[in-house]
Amino acid sequence: MHALTLVALIAAQGAPTTTAPAVQMERKFTKGETLHYSVRSLLTVEERELGLNTFLPRDFGLEYDYTMKVNDVDQDGNAKVLYRRPKTISIDGEFADKPEVRAAQPGGGFSLDLRISVINELLGVEEIKEKPKATGKMLRYMTQEQDQKVTDLLAGQFVGDLMRIALMTGSLDSSMDFAPPLSFKPVKPGSVWKKTVGYTPQKLSTTGEQGVRRLDYSYTYQGVVESNGKKVHRIVGEVSQDSDIWPFFLQQYGLRIADTPFASLQLTFKGKLEFDLDLKTLHTLRAKAESTGSTKLTLRAGNAAAEEMQFYGENNLTLQKISR
C-alpha cells in the first residue's frame, strides 16, 4: 500500500464525526399574545351501487377562523388559553341541478377556556361559554346519521370516524387546531413517535379473532427545512388502514358468512399530515392534511360489489398573524 494512501485512511478513521444535536420540542407561549388562524377543509365523497357504472360525487366542507389568546403561562410553560371561534361555515357542494350552498352553522360561535401543554396536549377545558350545535348535511357523513344503506348501518361508526380523521375535524384534541402532538423526548431528524386518533375493527394477531384496535398516526421529525422563504421545523404524520371488517360484524351477531349474502366489507384509509413550525416558538405556521379512503361491500354471488364508496379529504391551516 502506498504511504499516502495509508495516511489518508488513518486520517479518515480518526476524523471526528458530527451529528445534529437532539431538539427538545416544546412550544413556547407568551402571555398576552393572540394567535389568529384560518382553517379550510373539503371532503369529496363518491358512491356507486350495484348496476351503476360511474361514481356519483358530492363535496362537503368546513371553513372557520379562530383565535387563541394566551392569558397565562405557568412555571412549566403550559398555557391558559382563551379559544374563540366566531362562526363555522358548512359547505354543501353542487349536486345534480342543485347549486352549492354555504351557510353558517346554527348556534353562532363559541369560546373555550383551555389549558395547553408545551407538547400541544389539552390538559383541560375549564369553562364552556357556548357549545356549538353541529348540524347540516355535512354531518350525514360525519356521524352515524347517514342514509340507511348496508355499509352505513354496519360500518357507519368507523367510516364516520375515518372521515373526521380525514379532515381532522373531530374533537378538539384530535383537530388540526392543536396539532401536531409533539414528542416528549428530544428528537433528531428521523425520530418517530405515535398518537392514537381512532379505533377500527381488525384481526387480532394473538387470538385470530376480530376486535377493535387503535388507529395511530406515526409522526416523523424531518429536521429544519426551508418553507415559503424561511427556516422551519418540519414534522410529517402518516396513517394507514386496510382490512376486511365484515368478519367483525358477523362475530358481534354470532353469524357466519354463509348466513348473509355478503362476502366482505373492505375498509381502506391513508392519511398524510405536514406541519411547519416556527423555529423559536414551535407555533404551527402552516399545516396540511390529505387523505383517501374507501369501502367496498362485496356479494358472495359473483364477487360483485353491492356498494362502493370512496372519499378524499384535504384540510389547510394557516397562521394569519400574532397580535399582542
Side-chain angles (χ1 to χ4, degrees):
M1 181 178 291
H2 294 293
L4 289 177
T5 303
L6 180 61
V7 170
L9 287 173
I10 294 173
Q13 291 174 359
T17 57
T18 58
T19 57
V23 178
Q24 185 65 57
M25 305 293 283
E26 292 186 349
R27 194 169 182 178
K28 295 176 175 61
F29 296 97
T30 300
K31 183 178 179 179
E33 71 179 0
T34 301
L35 293 87
H36 302 252
Y37 284 97
S38 66
V39 175
R40 303 291 183 265
S41 62
L42 183 67
L43 179 72
T44 298
V45 179
E46 299 180 344
E47 295 180 287
R48 180 172 67 180
E49 297 181 357
L50 184 65
L52 294 179
N53 294 323
T54 59
F55 284 92
L56 300 179
R58 193 77 176 270
D59 290 338
F60 302 91
L62 289 177
E63 295 183 354
Y64 60 89
D65 299 326
Y66 71 92
T67 60
M68 295 196 305
K69 182 180 180 182
V70 181
N71 288 325
D72 199 10
V73 181
D74 66 21
Q75 61 182 5
D76 296 320
N78 305 317
K80 185 176 181 180
V81 170
L82 174 61
Y83 174 98
R84 285 179 172 166
R85 189 192 299 184
K87 63 180 178 180
T88 301
I89 302 297
S90 294
I91 303 170
D92 190 353
E94 179 181 350
F95 186 72
D97 59 346
K98 296 181 179 180
E100 176 183 277
V101 176
R102 303 168 64 91
Q105 290 187 347
F110 64 99
S111 301
L112 303 173
D113 284 326
L114 308 172
R115 289 184 63 241
I116 306 174
S117 77
V118 293
I119 60 172
N120 278 340
E121 288 182 323
L122 281 182
L123 301 177
V125 179
E126 297 183 2
E127 179 183 359
I128 300 178
K129 297 181 179 179
E130 295 180 42
K131 188 174 183 180
K133 298 178 180 178
T135 60
K137 292 185 177 180
M138 175 77 170
L139 292 192
R140 290 177 57 247
Y141 293 95
M142 304 303 245
T143 69
Q144 298 180 54
E145 299 173 4
Q146 305 177 12
D147 290 340
Q148 297 300 297
K149 297 179 181 179
V150 176
T151 50
D152 294 334
L153 288 170
L154 298 175
Q157 172 189 350
F158 302 105
V159 174
D161 284 345
L162 288 182
M163 288 182 175
R164 284 187 285 271
I165 293 169
L167 290 182
M168 296 192 74
T169 55
S171 59
L172 283 177
D173 62 347
S174 64
S175 71
M176 187 84 89
D177 303 9
F178 304 101
L182 301 175
S183 172
F184 64 89
K185 295 181 179 180
V187 298
K188 295 182 179 182
S191 293
V192 177
W193 62 99
K194 295 184 177 183
K195 180 177 175 61
T196 299
V197 292
Y199 298 85
T200 59
Q202 296 182 47
K203 186 177 182 179
L204 301 178
S205 58
T206 53
T207 64
E209 294 185 348
Q210 297 291 320
V212 177
R213 301 186 65 181
R214 300 187 335 181
L215 186 66
D216 295 334
Y217 255 106
S218 179
Y219 291 90
T220 303
Y221 177 61
Q222 292 191 335
V224 176
V225 303
E226 185 167 321
S227 176
N228 295 324
K230 66 182 299 183
K231 298 290 186 180
V232 299
H233 292 291
R234 171 70 56 80
I235 293 176
V236 297
E238 294 183 326
V239 66
S240 63
Q241 163 77 8
D242 188 353
S243 61
D244 178 10
I245 62 176
W246 187 237
F248 172 81
F249 294 104
L250 295 179
Q251 180 177 287
Q252 305 309 301
Y253 295 99
L255 299 174
R256 302 168 303 166
I257 289 182
D259 297 326
T260 76
F262 307 112
S264 64
L265 177 52
Q266 197 69 28
L267 176 64
T268 65
F269 176 73
K270 287 185 178 181
K272 183 176 181 180
L273 310 173
E274 185 176 272
F275 299 91
D276 289 344
L277 311 182
D278 183 84
L279 285 184
K280 294 181 178 180
T281 65
L282 268 71
H283 291 326
T284 300
L285 303 176
R286 180 197 68 87
K288 184 175 184 178
E290 295 179 300
S291 54
T292 61
S294 67
T295 62
K296 183 177 181 180
L297 182 66
T298 303
L299 293 167
R300 288 194 297 117
N303 202 36
E307 294 176 8
E308 293 178 87
M309 181 186 68
Q310 52 194 30
F311 58 91
Y312 316 88
E314 181 175 319
N315 193 351
N316 289 278
L317 174 145
T318 307
L319 176 63
Q320 301 294 336
K321 65 177 181 178
I322 299 178
S323 59
R324 292 178 174 84

